[in-house]
Amino acid sequence: MTATTNPRFPPRCPKPLATGDLIAITAPSSGVQPSRHARLDRASDALRQRGYRVVEGTCLRAEHQQASAPAAQRAAELMRFLRDPEVAAVMPPWGGERAIELLPLLDFEALAALPPKWLVGFSDLSTLQLPLLLRAGWSSLHGPNLMEHGAAEVDTTTAGVWPLLAAAPGETLRQSASKAYRGAGQHVDWGVDPAAGFNLSEPTQWARLDGSSAPLTLEGRLTGGCLDTLARLAGTPYGELPAFVRACGSEGTLLFLENCEMSPCELLRALSSLRLHGWFDGLAGLLLGRSAGPATQGDLSMRQVLQDVLGDLPMPVLIDLDIGHVPPQLSLLQGGLARLHFNGAGGGWVEQRRLGTEGA
């Protein structure tokens, strides 16, 4: 499908998720291997326990060549759920590697004419969420993936997704910085322990890239996602972020990004490419999540890369926020209006005002 080059604005938010709503589970990128089916079952049961109905797609419980199914099949199933008036939300189990293949197969023009519905998750799912925002005007939710809700005990930050999904139009919700995050080497194997939660062992420390401890409050419309995948969209019809920033105007734009597995040199190239494509021009603030990639490459550190590429930007840059692959993470509305406060002491909060289906 041919994408337009102008962003749909203002973004429209799906209706609040309510008891009895139907949630569809499909894997538009990586599928779930049999060894992880017990975890998927726990996550599906968690939805039912919250009073939702659940339907599974056929692109879900298999994995071949890093995908749940061929691209055309994945795209058709995702479109079917996004167009189905009975489906209130699509919650993939997780991200993966190959969501970018779906972009030319999705009919964003058709979606722009339909009421929006929730697409929830992060990682490779942000490869779909950003074009949904820019091409169809749909707000979606960047936050915990479905599989994270299969834990026997879900931490407060991860559970923050549910009030945001159910919020009424015009309602404002605040999420605070986490108290602790998962340290290196603390990963768990859901194939061994399907009920495992996160081991949050390290104290959370939000910070400013410039090293200042002065408190700071930023406002604007949120958008962003996984830098590993979104950097590939810059300069394409699916990544016209500068046009969105211009459309936001005086409301401002808060761009959030997080690194899954890039080394410092690859991160340098990705950030430099985005800067060359104008992604940082006119932002009200740049929000960077904790990096899950290697901290150093030779004598080059991740922090030095951020300083070299972003240190002279005219807008504030916050780092080590609760966003992305080092859990837990905040739930952020793509295209939603937000205020983010950094308290100068390693913490803060983000407030988001729930938009209506017409963007107001």
Side-chain angles (χ1 to χ4, degrees):
M1 303 296 174
T2 301
T4 120
T5 56
N6 297 314
R8 304 281 181 174
F9 201 86
R12 298 174 296 139
C13 202
K15 70 179 183 66
L17 204 57
T19 300
D21 277 347
L22 180 63
I23 296 177
I25 305 176
T26 182
S29 188
S30 290
V32 182
Q33 310 93 326
S35 62
R36 304 295 188 272
H37 284 182
R39 178 68 174 210
L40 177 58
D41 291 339
R42 289 184 59 88
S44 299
D45 288 343
L47 298 180
R48 295 184 182 93
Q49 290 166 10
R50 288 185 169 273
Y52 305 121
R53 295 176 294 132
V54 175
V55 59
E56 288 192 3
T58 59
C59 303
L60 180 61
R61 291 180 178 263
E63 175 80 343
H64 178 63
Q65 296 180 346
Q66 302 297 309
S68 64
Q73 187 177 344
R74 285 180 279 136
E77 181 161 280
L78 180 61
M79 279 297 302
R80 177 168 63 85
F81 284 142
L82 293 177
R83 300 178 79 161
D84 186 340
E86 189 179 1
V87 173
V90 177
M91 292 189 177
W94 46 31
E97 307 289 345
R98 299 181 61 169
I100 195 169
E101 298 175 306
L102 274 60
L103 295 180
L105 305 176
L106 300 177
D107 192 339
F108 291 102
E109 293 295 315
L111 295 177
L114 296 175
K117 62 186 60 180
W118 294 110
L119 177 63
V120 183
F122 79 110
S123 192
D124 202 20
L125 301 179
S126 58
T127 313
L128 305 173
Q129 290 176 337
L130 183 65
L132 267 177
L133 174 67
L134 302 180
R135 303 276 65 85
W138 284 25
S139 178
S140 55
L141 193 142
H142 180 280
N145 287 323
L146 174 63
M147 293 286 268
E148 298 176 32
H149 298 288
E153 294 186 21
V154 178
D155 65 275
T156 301
T157 306
T158 299
V161 65
W162 301 113
L164 202 57
L165 289 171
E171 185 176 354
T172 298
L173 291 92
R174 176 180 291 193
Q175 300 172 83
S176 296
S178 67
K179 299 296 184 184
Y181 67 91
R182 185 182 69 191
Q186 298 296 320
H187 291 75
V188 295
D189 186 341
W190 289 335
V192 174
D193 184 0
F198 298 130
N199 183 6
L200 306 179
S201 60
E202 305 300 317
T204 295
Q205 287 289 313
W206 291 9
R208 292 175 56 158
L209 182 59
D210 62 10
S212 172
S213 59
L216 179 69
T217 301
L218 303 174
E219 298 187 27
R221 287 188 182 266
L222 290 164
T223 191
C226 181
L227 181 59
D228 307 51
T229 69
L230 293 191
R232 271 66 172 181
L233 301 186
T236 76
Y238 306 100
E240 293 288 347
L241 186 70
F244 179 79
V245 174
R246 291 192 294 270
C248 288
S250 61
E251 288 180 331
T253 304
L254 300 177
L255 175 62
F256 61 89
L257 297 169
E258 55 96 10
N259 174 26
C260 174
E261 56 189 13
M262 288 186 289
S263 67
C265 286
E266 182 60 22
L267 178 68
L268 183 147
R269 287 189 287 264
L271 289 172
S272 297
S273 177
L274 292 187
R275 187 161 186 174
L276 291 171
H277 279 99
W279 273 41
F280 303 142
D281 296 346
L283 295 178
L286 180 58
L287 315 176
L288 302 179
R290 291 180 290 264
S291 175
T296 60
Q297 186 173 5
D299 61 354
L300 178 63
S301 69
M302 200 71 75
R303 180 64 176 267
Q304 188 61 52
V305 166
L306 299 181
Q307 192 62 51
D308 288 349
V309 182
L310 308 174
D312 64 341
L313 289 178
M315 81 289 295
V317 180
L318 293 177
I319 61 174
D320 295 334
L321 273 63
D322 294 300
I323 302 171
H325 284 80
V326 182
Q329 66 171 311
L330 302 166
S331 295
L332 304 175
L333 293 174
Q334 293 273 12
L337 291 166
R339 295 177 67 233
L340 185 143
H341 178 70
F342 168 64
N343 64 15
W349 47 258
V350 58
E351 283 184 346
Q352 297 177 81
R353 182 168 67 84
R354 171 69 158 73
L355 303 176
T357 56
E358 300 305 318

